[in-house]
Amino acid sequence: MKMYLISDNIDTQIGMRLAGIEGCVAHDRDSITEQVKKAVSDGETGVLIFTEKAAAMVSDYLSQLKLTIHTPLIIEIPDRHGSRDIAGSINRMVQESIGLKL
């Protein structure tokens, strides 16, 4: 099983590559969607990592994907600018996972 990063900036992609995680840089909705489809169709991808900004560009697509596929696990990470709203992100993840609103 491997991890794959879809980032909106080169710095995050380089840092993750140094940690052994391959990925790509995409700046628009269409290219991000194309990369997601590529990663999902690869049977070896177990974790699909997004920077927050990249995930925000395709949030509706990712929400639908999370409901219909079991693998890969889709996660968001903050990029070099830090998290936009870490408390909101945690609350949203809990709500999506178990249906409990905190």
Side-chain angles (χ1 to χ4, degrees):
M1 181 181 336
K2 63 182 180 180
M3 293 186 254
Y4 190 77
L5 169 74
I6 299 176
S7 176
D8 63 300
N9 67 72
I10 191 86
D11 296 333
T12 303
Q13 193 243 356
I14 290 171
M16 295 299 266
R17 191 171 16 175
L18 289 171
I21 299 171
E22 290 299 318
C24 67
V25 176
H27 298 288
D28 60 68
R29 181 179 175 81
D30 292 336
S31 59
I32 293 171
T33 302
E34 180 181 321
Q35 290 298 321
V36 171
K37 289 178 182 178
K38 177 183 163 187
V40 169
S41 67
D42 179 6
E44 292 186 26
T45 303
V47 180
L48 187 54
I49 305 167
F50 287 87
T51 55
E52 289 178 333
K53 188 175 176 184
M57 285 189 240
V58 291
S59 62
D60 54 335
Y61 179 64
L62 290 181
S63 295
Q64 182 62 33
L65 209 57
K66 287 177 184 179
L67 294 173
T68 58
I69 63 170
H70 291 70
T71 57
L73 174 66
I74 298 172
I75 60 172
E76 290 180 39
I77 61 169
D79 64 5
R80 65 181 178 210
H81 303 295
S83 180
R84 294 178 301 192
D85 178 21
I86 192 68
S89 295
I90 292 171
N91 286 338
R92 187 178 68 249
M93 283 191 291
V94 169
Q95 185 175 357
E96 288 176 2
S97 300
I98 61 174
L100 179 66
K101 189 170 185 173
L102 299 177

Coordinates of all heavy atoms in Angstrom, one line a residue:
M1 N 0.9 -1.2 0.0 CA 0.0 0.0 0.0 C 0.9 1.2 0.0 O 1.9 1.3 0.7 CB -0.9 0.0 1.2 CG -1.8 1.2 1.3 SD -2.9 1.3 2.7 CE -3.1 -0.3 3.4
K2 N 0.5 2.2 -0.8 CA 1.3 3.4 -0.9 C 0.4 4.7 -0.6 O -0.8 4.6 -0.7 CB 2.0 3.5 -2.2 CG 1.1 3.6 -3.4 CD 2.0 3.7 -4.7 CE 1.1 3.8 -5.9 NZ 1.8 3.8 -7.1
M3 N 1.1 5.8 -0.4 CA 0.4 7.0 -0.2 C 0.7 7.9 -1.4 O 1.8 7.8 -2.0 CB 1.0 7.7 1.1 CG 0.6 7.0 2.4 SD 1.1 8.0 3.8 CE 2.5 7.0 4.3
Y4 N -0.2 8.8 -1.7 CA -0.1 9.7 -2.8 C -0.6 11.1 -2.4 O -1.6 11.2 -1.8 CB -0.9 9.2 -4.0 CG -0.6 9.9 -5.3 CD1 0.6 9.7 -6.0 CD2 -1.4 10.9 -5.8 CE1 0.9 10.3 -7.2 CE2 -1.2 11.6 -7.0 CZ 0.0 11.3 -7.7 OH 0.3 12.0 -8.8
L5 N 0.2 12.1 -2.7 CA -0.1 13.5 -2.4 C -0.6 14.3 -3.6 O 0.0 14.2 -4.6 CB 1.1 14.2 -1.8 CG 1.0 15.7 -1.6 CD1 0.1 16.0 -0.4 CD2 2.4 16.3 -1.5
I6 N -1.7 15.0 -3.4 CA -2.1 16.0 -4.4 C -2.1 17.4 -3.7 O -2.8 17.6 -2.7 CB -3.5 15.7 -4.9 CG1 -3.6 14.4 -5.6 CG2 -4.0 16.8 -5.8 CD1 -4.9 13.9 -6.0
S7 N -1.1 18.2 -4.1 CA -0.8 19.5 -3.5 C -1.1 20.6 -4.4 O -1.0 20.5 -5.6 CB 0.6 19.5 -3.0 OG 1.0 20.7 -2.5
D8 N -1.3 21.8 -3.8 CA -1.4 23.0 -4.6 C -0.1 23.8 -4.7 O -0.1 24.8 -5.3 CB -2.5 23.9 -4.0 CG -2.2 24.4 -2.7 OD1 -2.0 23.5 -1.8 OD2 -2.1 25.6 -2.5
N9 N 0.9 23.3 -4.0 CA 2.2 24.0 -4.0 C 3.4 23.0 -4.0 O 3.3 21.9 -3.5 CB 2.3 25.0 -2.9 CG 2.4 24.3 -1.5 OD1 3.4 23.7 -1.2 ND2 1.3 24.4 -0.8
I10 N 4.4 23.5 -4.6 CA 5.6 22.6 -4.8 C 6.3 22.3 -3.5 O 6.9 21.3 -3.4 CB 6.5 23.2 -5.9 CG1 7.6 22.3 -6.3 CG2 7.2 24.5 -5.4 CD1 7.2 21.3 -7.4
D11 N 6.3 23.3 -2.6 CA 7.0 23.1 -1.3 C 6.5 21.9 -0.6 O 7.3 21.1 -0.1 CB 6.9 24.3 -0.4 CG 7.6 25.5 -1.1 OD1 8.5 25.4 -1.9 OD2 7.2 26.7 -0.8
T12 N 5.2 21.7 -0.5 CA 4.6 20.6 0.2 C 5.0 19.3 -0.5 O 5.3 18.3 0.1 CB 3.1 20.7 0.4 OG1 2.8 21.9 1.1 CG2 2.5 19.6 1.1
Q13 N 4.9 19.3 -1.8 CA 5.2 18.1 -2.6 C 6.7 17.7 -2.4 O 6.9 16.5 -2.3 CB 4.9 18.4 -4.1 CG 4.9 17.1 -4.9 CD 5.9 17.1 -6.0 OE1 6.7 18.1 -6.2 NE2 6.0 16.0 -6.7
I14 N 7.6 18.6 -2.4 CA 9.0 18.3 -2.2 C 9.2 17.7 -0.8 O 9.9 16.7 -0.7 CB 9.9 19.5 -2.5 CG1 9.9 19.9 -3.9 CG2 11.3 19.3 -2.0 CD1 10.6 21.2 -4.3
G15 N 8.6 18.3 0.2 CA 8.8 17.8 1.5 C 8.2 16.4 1.7 O 8.9 15.6 2.3
M16 N 7.1 16.1 1.1 CA 6.5 14.8 1.2 C 7.4 13.8 0.4 O 7.5 12.7 0.8 CB 5.1 14.8 0.7 CG 4.2 15.6 1.6 SD 4.1 15.0 3.3 CE 2.6 14.0 3.2
R17 N 7.9 14.2 -0.7 CA 8.8 13.3 -1.5 C 10.0 13.0 -0.7 O 10.5 11.8 -0.7 CB 9.2 14.0 -2.8 CG 9.8 13.0 -3.7 CD 10.0 13.5 -5.1 NE 9.9 14.9 -5.2 CZ 10.2 15.6 -6.3 NH1 10.5 15.0 -7.4 NH2 10.1 16.9 -6.4
L18 N 10.5 13.9 0.1 CA 11.7 13.6 1.0 C 11.3 12.6 2.0 O 12.2 11.8 2.5 CB 12.2 14.9 1.6 CG 12.9 15.9 0.7 CD1 13.2 17.2 1.5 CD2 14.2 15.3 0.2
A19 N 10.0 12.5 2.4 CA 9.6 11.5 3.3 C 9.2 10.2 2.6 O 8.7 9.3 3.3 CB 8.4 12.0 4.1
G20 N 9.3 10.1 1.3 CA 9.1 8.9 0.6 C 7.6 8.8 0.0 O 7.2 7.8 -0.5
I21 N 6.9 9.9 0.0 CA 5.6 10.0 -0.5 C 5.6 10.7 -1.9 O 5.9 11.9 -2.0 CB 4.6 10.7 0.5 CG1 4.6 9.9 1.8 CG2 3.2 10.8 -0.1 CD1 3.9 10.6 2.9
E22 N 5.2 10.0 -2.9 CA 5.1 10.5 -4.2 C 3.8 11.4 -4.3 O 2.9 11.2 -3.6 CB 5.1 9.5 -5.3 CG 6.4 8.8 -5.4 CD 7.6 9.7 -5.8 OE1 7.4 10.6 -6.7 OE2 8.7 9.6 -5.3
G23 N 3.8 12.3 -5.3 CA 2.6 13.1 -5.5 C 2.8 14.0 -6.7 O 3.7 13.9 -7.5
C24 N 1.8 15.0 -6.8 CA 1.8 15.9 -7.9 C 1.4 17.3 -7.4 O 0.9 17.4 -6.3 CB 0.9 15.4 -9.0 SG -0.9 15.5 -8.4
V25 N 1.6 18.2 -8.2 CA 1.1 19.6 -7.9 C 0.0 19.9 -9.0 O 0.3 19.8 -10.2 CB 2.3 20.6 -8.0 CG1 1.8 22.0 -7.8 CG2 3.3 20.3 -7.0
A26 N -1.1 20.4 -8.5 CA -2.2 20.7 -9.4 C -2.8 22.0 -8.9 O -3.0 22.2 -7.7 CB -3.3 19.6 -9.4
H27 N -3.1 22.9 -9.8 CA -3.6 24.3 -9.4 C -5.0 24.6 -9.8 O -5.5 25.6 -9.4 CB -2.7 25.3 -10.1 CG -1.3 25.2 -9.6 ND1 -0.9 25.6 -8.4 CD2 -0.2 24.8 -10.3 CE1 0.4 25.4 -8.3 NE2 0.9 24.9 -9.4
D28 N -5.7 23.7 -10.5 CA -7.1 23.9 -10.8 C -8.0 22.7 -10.6 O -7.5 21.6 -10.5 CB -7.3 24.5 -12.2 CG -6.7 23.5 -13.3 OD1 -7.4 22.4 -13.4 OD2 -5.7 23.8 -13.9
R29 N -9.3 22.9 -10.6 CA -10.2 21.9 -10.3 C -10.1 20.7 -11.2 O -10.1 19.5 -10.8 CB -11.6 22.5 -10.3 CG -12.7 21.5 -10.0 CD -14.1 22.2 -10.1 NE -15.2 21.2 -9.9 CZ -15.6 20.7 -8.7 NH1 -15.0 21.1 -7.6 NH2 -16.5 19.9 -8.7
D30 N -10.0 20.9 -12.5 CA -9.9 19.9 -13.5 C -8.7 19.0 -13.3 O -8.8 17.8 -13.4 CB -10.0 20.4 -14.9 CG -11.3 21.0 -15.3 OD1 -12.3 20.7 -14.6 OD2 -11.4 21.9 -16.2
S31 N -7.5 19.6 -13.1 CA -6.3 18.8 -13.0 C -6.3 18.1 -11.7 O -5.8 16.9 -11.6 CB -5.1 19.7 -13.1 OG -5.1 20.7 -12.2
I32 N -6.9 18.6 -10.6 CA -7.0 17.9 -9.3 C -7.9 16.7 -9.5 O -7.6 15.6 -9.1 CB -7.5 18.8 -8.2 CG1 -6.4 19.9 -7.9 CG2 -7.8 18.0 -6.9 CD1 -6.9 21.0 -7.0
T33 N -9.0 16.9 -10.1 CA -10.0 15.8 -10.3 C -9.3 14.7 -11.2 O -9.5 13.5 -10.9 CB -11.2 16.3 -11.1 OG1 -11.8 17.3 -10.3 CG2 -12.2 15.2 -11.3
E34 N -8.6 15.1 -12.2 CA -7.9 14.1 -13.0 C -6.9 13.3 -12.2 O -6.8 12.0 -12.3 CB -7.2 14.8 -14.2 CG -6.4 13.9 -15.1 CD -5.7 14.7 -16.2 OE1 -6.3 15.6 -16.7 OE2 -4.6 14.3 -16.5
Q35 N -6.1 13.9 -11.3 CA -5.2 13.3 -10.5 C -5.8 12.3 -9.4 O -5.3 11.3 -9.1 CB -4.3 14.3 -9.7 CG -3.3 15.0 -10.7 CD -2.3 14.0 -11.3 OE1 -1.9 13.1 -10.8 NE2 -2.0 14.3 -12.6
V36 N -7.0 12.8 -8.9 CA -7.7 11.9 -8.0 C -8.2 10.6 -8.7 O -8.0 9.5 -8.1 CB -9.0 12.7 -7.4 CG1 -9.9 11.7 -6.6 CG2 -8.5 13.8 -6.6
K37 N -8.7 10.8 -9.9 CA -9.2 9.6 -10.6 C -8.0 8.6 -10.9 O -8.1 7.4 -10.8 CB -9.8 10.0 -11.9 CG -11.2 10.7 -11.7 CD -11.8 11.1 -13.0 CE -13.1 11.8 -12.8 NZ -13.7 12.3 -14.0
K38 N -6.9 9.2 -11.2 CA -5.7 8.4 -11.5 C -5.2 7.6 -10.2 O -4.9 6.4 -10.2 CB -4.5 9.3 -11.9 CG -3.2 8.6 -12.2 CD -2.2 9.6 -12.6 CE -0.8 9.1 -12.4 NZ 0.3 10.1 -12.7
A39 N -5.2 8.3 -9.1 CA -4.8 7.7 -7.8 C -5.8 6.7 -7.3 O -5.4 5.6 -6.8 CB -4.6 8.8 -6.7
V40 N -7.1 6.9 -7.5 CA -8.1 6.0 -7.1 C -8.1 4.7 -7.9 O -8.3 3.6 -7.4 CB -9.5 6.6 -7.1 CG1 -10.6 5.6 -6.9 CG2 -9.6 7.7 -6.0
S41 N -7.8 4.9 -9.2 CA -7.8 3.7 -10.1 C -6.5 2.8 -9.9 O -6.5 1.7 -10.3 CB -7.9 4.1 -11.6 OG -6.7 4.8 -11.9
D42 N -5.5 3.4 -9.3 CA -4.3 2.6 -8.9 C -4.6 1.8 -7.7 O -4.8 2.3 -6.6 CB -3.1 3.5 -8.7 CG -1.9 2.8 -8.3 OD1 -1.8 1.6 -8.3 OD2 -0.9 3.5 -7.9
G43 N -4.7 0.5 -7.8 CA -5.1 -0.4 -6.8 C -4.1 -0.4 -5.6 O -4.5 -0.9 -4.5
E44 N -2.9 0.1 -5.7 CA -1.9 0.1 -4.6 C -2.0 1.4 -3.7 O -1.4 1.4 -2.7 CB -0.5 0.0 -5.2 CG -0.2 -1.3 -5.8 CD 1.2 -1.4 -6.2 OE1 2.1 -0.7 -5.6 OE2 1.5 -2.2 -7.2
T45 N -2.8 2.4 -4.1 CA -2.9 3.6 -3.3 C -3.8 3.4 -2.2 O -5.0 3.1 -2.4 CB -3.4 4.8 -4.2 OG1 -2.5 5.0 -5.3 CG2 -3.5 6.1 -3.4
G46 N -3.3 3.5 -1.0 CA -4.1 3.2 0.3 C -4.5 4.5 1.0 O -5.5 4.6 1.7
V47 N -3.7 5.5 0.8 CA -3.9 6.8 1.4 C -3.7 7.9 0.4 O -2.7 8.0 -0.2 CB -3.0 7.1 2.6 CG1 -3.3 8.4 3.3 CG2 -3.1 6.0 3.7
L48 N -4.7 8.8 0.3 CA -4.7 9.9 -0.7 C -4.7 11.2 0.2 O -5.6 11.4 0.9 CB -5.9 9.9 -1.6 CG -5.9 10.9 -2.7 CD1 -4.7 10.8 -3.6 CD2 -7.2 10.6 -3.6
I49 N -3.5 11.9 0.1 CA -3.3 13.1 0.9 C -3.5 14.3 0.1 O -3.0 14.4 -1.0 CB -1.9 13.1 1.5 CG1 -1.6 11.8 2.3 CG2 -1.7 14.3 2.4 CD1 -0.2 11.5 2.6
F50 N -4.3 15.3 0.6 CA -4.5 16.6 0.0 C -4.0 17.7 0.9 O -4.2 17.6 2.1 CB -6.0 16.8 -0.2 CG -6.6 16.0 -1.3 CD1 -7.1 14.7 -1.0 CD2 -6.7 16.5 -2.6 CE1 -7.6 14.0 -2.0 CE2 -7.3 15.7 -3.6 CZ -7.7 14.4 -3.3
T51 N -3.5 18.8 0.3 CA -3.3 20.0 1.0 C -4.7 20.6 1.2 O -5.6 20.3 0.4 CB -2.4 21.0 0.4 OG1 -2.8 21.2 -1.0 CG2 -0.9 20.5 0.3
E52 N -4.9 21.4 2.2 CA -6.3 22.0 2.4 C -6.8 22.8 1.2 O -8.0 22.7 0.9 CB -6.2 22.9 3.6 CG -6.1 22.2 4.9 CD -6.0 23.1 6.1 OE1 -5.6 24.3 6.0 OE2 -6.4 22.6 7.2
K53 N -5.9 23.6 0.6 CA -6.4 24.4 -0.5 C -6.8 23.5 -1.7 O -7.8 23.8 -2.4 CB -5.3 25.4 -0.9 CG -5.7 26.4 -2.0 CD -4.6 27.4 -2.2 CE -5.0 28.3 -3.3 NZ -3.9 29.3 -3.6
A54 N -6.0 22.5 -2.0 CA -6.4 21.5 -3.1 C -7.7 20.8 -2.8 O -8.5 20.7 -3.7 CB -5.2 20.5 -3.3
A55 N -7.9 20.4 -1.6 CA -9.1 19.7 -1.2 C -10.3 20.6 -1.3 O -11.4 20.2 -1.7 CB -9.0 19.1 0.2
A56 N -10.1 21.9 -0.9 CA -11.2 22.8 -1.0 C -11.7 23.1 -2.4 O -12.9 23.3 -2.6 CB -10.8 24.2 -0.4
M57 N -10.8 23.0 -3.4 CA -11.2 23.2 -4.8 C -12.1 22.1 -5.3 O -12.8 22.3 -6.2 CB -9.9 23.3 -5.7 CG -9.2 24.6 -5.5 SD -7.9 24.7 -6.8 CE -6.5 24.8 -5.8
V58 N -12.0 20.9 -4.7 CA -12.8 19.7 -5.2 C -13.6 19.1 -4.0 O -13.8 17.9 -4.0 CB -11.9 18.7 -5.9 CG1 -11.4 19.2 -7.2 CG2 -10.8 18.2 -4.9
S59 N -14.0 19.9 -3.1 CA -14.6 19.4 -1.8 C -15.9 18.6 -2.1 O -16.1 17.6 -1.5 CB -14.9 20.5 -0.9 OG -15.8 21.5 -1.4
D60 N -16.7 19.1 -3.0 CA -18.0 18.3 -3.3 C -17.6 17.0 -3.9 O -18.3 15.9 -3.6 CB -18.9 19.1 -4.2 CG -18.2 19.6 -5.5 OD1 -17.0 19.8 -5.5 OD2 -18.9 19.8 -6.5
Y61 N -16.7 16.9 -4.8 CA -16.2 15.6 -5.4 C -15.7 14.7 -4.4 O -16.0 13.5 -4.4 CB -15.2 15.9 -6.5 CG -14.7 14.7 -7.2 CD1 -15.5 13.9 -8.0 CD2 -13.4 14.3 -7.1 CE1 -15.1 12.8 -8.6 CE2 -12.9 13.2 -7.8 CZ -13.7 12.4 -8.5 OH -13.3 11.3 -9.2
L62 N -14.8 15.2 -3.5 CA -14.3 14.4 -2.4 C -15.3 13.9 -1.5 O -15.3 12.7 -1.0 CB -13.2 15.2 -1.6 CG -11.9 15.5 -2.4 CD1 -10.9 16.2 -1.5 CD2 -11.3 14.2 -2.9
S63 N -16.3 14.7 -1.1 CA -17.4 14.2 -0.3 C -18.1 13.1 -0.9 O -18.4 12.1 -0.2 CB -18.4 15.4 0.0 OG -17.7 16.4 0.7
Q64 N -18.4 13.1 -2.2 CA -19.1 12.0 -2.9 C -18.2 10.8 -2.9 O -18.7 9.7 -2.7 CB -19.5 12.5 -4.3 CG -20.2 11.4 -5.1 CD -21.6 11.1 -4.4 OE1 -22.2 11.9 -3.8 NE2 -21.9 9.8 -4.6
L65 N -16.9 11.0 -3.1 CA -16.0 9.9 -3.2 C -15.9 9.2 -1.9 O -15.9 7.9 -1.8 CB -14.6 10.4 -3.7 CG -13.7 9.5 -4.4 CD1 -14.4 9.0 -5.7 CD2 -12.4 10.3 -4.8
K66 N -15.8 9.9 -0.8 CA -15.7 9.3 0.5 C -16.9 8.4 0.8 O -16.8 7.5 1.6 CB -15.6 10.4 1.6 CG -14.3 11.1 1.6 CD -14.3 12.2 2.7 CE -13.0 13.0 2.6 NZ -13.0 14.1 3.6
L67 N -18.1 8.8 0.3 CA -19.3 8.0 0.5 C -19.4 6.7 -0.4 O -20.1 5.8 0.0 CB -20.5 8.8 0.3 CG -20.8 10.0 1.2 CD1 -21.9 10.8 0.8 CD2 -21.0 9.5 2.6
T68 N -18.6 6.7 -1.5 CA -18.8 5.6 -2.4 C -17.6 4.6 -2.5 O -17.8 3.5 -3.0 CB -19.0 6.1 -3.8 OG1 -18.0 7.0 -4.2 CG2 -20.3 6.9 -3.9
I69 N -16.4 5.0 -2.0 CA -15.3 4.1 -2.0 C -14.8 3.8 -0.6 O -15.0 4.6 0.3 CB -14.2 4.6 -2.9 CG1 -13.6 5.9 -2.3 CG2 -14.6 4.9 -4.3 CD1 -12.3 6.4 -3.0
H70 N -14.1 2.6 -0.5 CA -13.6 2.3 0.8 C -12.1 2.6 0.9 O -11.5 2.9 1.9 CB -13.8 0.8 1.1 CG -15.2 0.4 1.3 ND1 -16.2 0.5 0.3 CD2 -15.9 0.1 2.4 CE1 -17.3 0.2 0.8 NE2 -17.2 -0.1 2.1
T71 N -11.4 2.5 -0.3 CA -10.0 2.8 -0.3 C -9.8 3.7 -1.6 O -10.5 3.4 -2.6 CB -9.1 1.6 -0.4 OG1 -9.4 0.8 -1.5 CG2 -9.1 0.8 0.9
P72 N -8.9 4.6 -1.6 CA -8.0 4.9 -0.5 C -8.6 5.8 0.6 O -9.7 6.4 0.3 CB -6.9 5.8 -1.3 CG -7.6 6.4 -2.4 CD -8.7 5.4 -2.8
L73 N -8.0 5.9 1.7 CA -8.4 6.8 2.8 C -8.0 8.2 2.3 O -6.9 8.4 1.8 CB -7.6 6.5 4.0 CG -7.8 7.4 5.2 CD1 -9.3 7.4 5.7 CD2 -6.9 7.0 6.3
I74 N -8.9 9.1 2.4 CA -8.7 10.5 1.9 C -8.5 11.4 3.1 O -9.4 11.5 4.0 CB -9.9 11.0 1.1 CG1 -10.0 10.1 -0.2 CG2 -9.7 12.5 0.7 CD1 -11.2 10.4 -1.0
I75 N -7.4 12.1 3.2 CA -7.1 13.0 4.3 C -6.6 14.3 3.8 O -6.1 14.4 2.7 CB -6.1 12.4 5.3 CG1 -4.7 12.1 4.6 CG2 -6.6 11.1 6.0 CD1 -3.6 11.7 5.6
E76 N -6.8 15.3 4.6 CA -6.3 16.7 4.4 C -5.2 17.0 5.3 O -5.3 16.7 6.5 CB -7.4 17.7 4.5 CG -8.5 17.7 3.5 CD -9.5 18.7 3.7 OE1 -9.2 19.9 4.1 OE2 -10.7 18.4 3.6
I77 N -4.2 17.7 4.9 CA -3.1 18.2 5.7 C -3.0 19.7 5.5 O -3.3 20.2 4.4 CB -1.8 17.5 5.5 CG1 -1.3 17.7 4.0 CG2 -1.9 16.0 5.8 CD1 0.1 17.3 3.7
P78 N -2.5 20.5 6.5 CA -2.2 21.9 6.3 C -1.0 22.0 5.4 O -0.1 21.1 5.4 CB -2.0 22.4 7.7 CG -1.7 21.2 8.5 CD -2.3 20.0 7.9
D79 N -0.9 23.1 4.6 CA 0.3 23.3 3.8 C 1.2 24.2 4.5 O 1.1 24.4 5.8 CB -0.1 23.8 2.4 CG -0.8 25.2 2.5 OD1 -0.9 25.8 3.6 OD2 -1.2 25.7 1.4
R80 N 2.1 24.8 3.8 CA 3.2 25.6 4.5 C 2.6 26.9 5.2 O 3.3 27.5 6.0 CB 4.2 26.1 3.4 CG 3.6 27.0 2.4 CD 4.6 27.4 1.4 NE 3.8 28.3 0.4 CZ 4.1 28.4 -0.8 NH1 5.1 27.7 -1.3 NH2 3.4 29.1 -1.6
H81 N 1.4 27.3 4.9 CA 0.8 28.4 5.6 C 0.1 28.0 6.8 O -0.5 28.9 7.5 CB -0.1 29.1 4.6 CG 0.6 29.6 3.4 ND1 1.6 30.5 3.3 CD2 0.4 29.1 2.1 CE1 2.0 30.7 2.1 NE2 1.3 29.8 1.3
G82 N 0.0 26.8 7.2 CA -0.7 26.3 8.4 C -2.1 26.1 8.1 O -2.6 26.2 7.0
S83 N -2.8 25.6 9.1 CA -4.2 25.3 9.0 C -5.1 26.5 8.9 O -4.9 27.5 9.7 CB -4.6 24.4 10.1 OG -6.0 24.0 10.0
R84 N -6.2 26.4 8.2 CA -7.1 27.5 8.1 C -8.0 27.5 9.4 O -8.2 28.5 10.0 CB -8.0 27.3 6.9 CG -7.3 27.5 5.6 CD -8.3 27.3 4.5 NE -8.8 25.9 4.7 CZ -9.5 25.3 3.8 NH1 -9.8 25.8 2.7 NH2 -10.0 24.1 4.0
D85 N -8.5 26.3 9.8 CA -9.4 26.2 10.9 C -9.3 24.8 11.5 O -10.1 24.0 11.1 CB -10.8 26.6 10.5 CG -11.8 26.4 11.6 OD1 -11.4 26.5 12.8 OD2 -13.0 26.3 11.3
I86 N -8.3 24.5 12.3 CA -8.1 23.2 12.8 C -9.2 22.7 13.6 O -9.6 21.5 13.5 CB -6.7 23.1 13.5 CG1 -6.4 21.6 13.8 CG2 -6.8 23.8 14.9 CD1 -6.0 20.8 12.5
A87 N -9.8 23.5 14.5 CA -11.0 23.1 15.3 C -12.2 22.7 14.4 O -12.8 21.7 14.6 CB -11.3 24.1 16.3
G88 N -12.4 23.5 13.4 CA -13.5 23.2 12.5 C -13.2 22.0 11.7 O -14.2 21.2 11.4
S89 N -12.0 21.7 11.3 CA -11.6 20.5 10.6 C -11.9 19.3 11.4 O -12.4 18.3 10.9 CB -10.2 20.6 10.1 OG -10.0 21.6 9.2
I90 N -11.5 19.3 12.7 CA -11.7 18.2 13.5 C -13.2 17.9 13.8 O -13.6 16.8 13.7 CB -10.9 18.4 14.9 CG1 -9.4 18.4 14.6 CG2 -11.3 17.3 15.9 CD1 -8.6 18.8 15.8
N91 N -13.9 19.0 14.0 CA -15.4 18.8 14.2 C -16.0 18.3 13.0 O -16.9 17.4 13.1 CB -16.0 20.2 14.6 CG -15.7 20.6 16.0 OD1 -15.4 19.7 16.9 ND2 -15.8 21.8 16.3
R92 N -15.6 18.7 11.8 CA -16.2 18.3 10.6 C -15.9 16.8 10.3 O -16.8 16.0 10.0 CB -15.7 19.1 9.4 CG -16.4 18.8 8.1 CD -16.0 19.7 6.9 NE -14.6 19.4 6.6 CZ -13.6 20.2 6.8 NH1 -13.7 21.4 7.3 NH2 -12.4 19.9 6.4
M93 N -14.6 16.4 10.6 CA -14.3 15.0 10.5 C -15.1 14.1 11.4 O -15.5 13.0 11.0 CB -12.8 14.8 10.7 CG -11.9 15.2 9.5 SD -10.2 14.8 9.6 CE -9.6 15.8 11.0
V94 N -15.2 14.5 12.6 CA -16.0 13.7 13.6 C -17.4 13.6 13.1 O -18.0 12.5 13.1 CB -15.9 14.3 15.0 CG1 -16.9 13.6 15.9 CG2 -14.5 14.2 15.6
Q95 N -18.0 14.7 12.7 CA -19.4 14.7 12.2 C -19.6 13.8 11.0 O -20.5 13.0 10.9 CB -19.8 16.1 11.9 CG -21.3 16.2 11.5 CD -21.8 17.6 11.3 OE1 -21.0 18.5 11.5 NE2 -23.0 17.8 10.9
E96 N -18.6 13.8 10.1 CA -18.7 13.0 8.9 C -18.5 11.5 9.2 O -19.1 10.7 8.6 CB -17.7 13.4 7.8 CG -18.0 14.7 7.1 CD -17.0 15.2 6.2 OE1 -16.0 14.5 6.0 OE2 -17.1 16.3 5.6
S97 N -17.6 11.3 10.2 CA -17.3 9.9 10.5 C -18.4 9.2 11.3 O -18.8 8.0 10.9 CB -16.0 9.8 11.3 OG -14.9 10.4 10.5
I98 N -18.8 9.8 12.3 CA -19.8 9.1 13.2 C -21.1 9.8 13.3 O -22.1 9.3 14.0 CB -19.2 8.9 14.6 CG1 -18.9 10.3 15.3 CG2 -18.0 8.0 14.6 CD1 -18.5 10.1 16.7
G99 N -21.3 10.9 12.6 CA -22.6 11.6 12.6 C -22.9 12.3 13.9 O -24.1 12.7 14.1
L100 N -21.9 12.6 14.7 CA -22.1 13.3 15.9 C -21.6 14.8 15.8 O -20.4 15.0 15.4 CB -21.4 12.6 17.1 CG -21.4 13.2 18.5 CD1 -22.9 13.2 19.0 CD2 -20.5 12.5 19.4
K101 N -22.4 15.7 16.1 CA -22.0 17.1 16.0 C -21.6 17.6 17.4 O -22.3 17.5 18.3 CB -23.2 18.0 15.5 CG -22.8 19.4 15.2 CD -23.9 20.1 14.5 CE -23.4 21.5 14.0 NZ -24.3 22.2 13.2
L102 N -20.3 18.1 17.4 CA -19.8 18.5 18.7 C -20.1 20.0 18.9 O -20.2 20.8 18.1 CB -18.2 18.3 18.7 CG -17.8 16.9 18.5 CD1 -16.3 16.8 18.5 CD2 -18.3 16.0 19.7

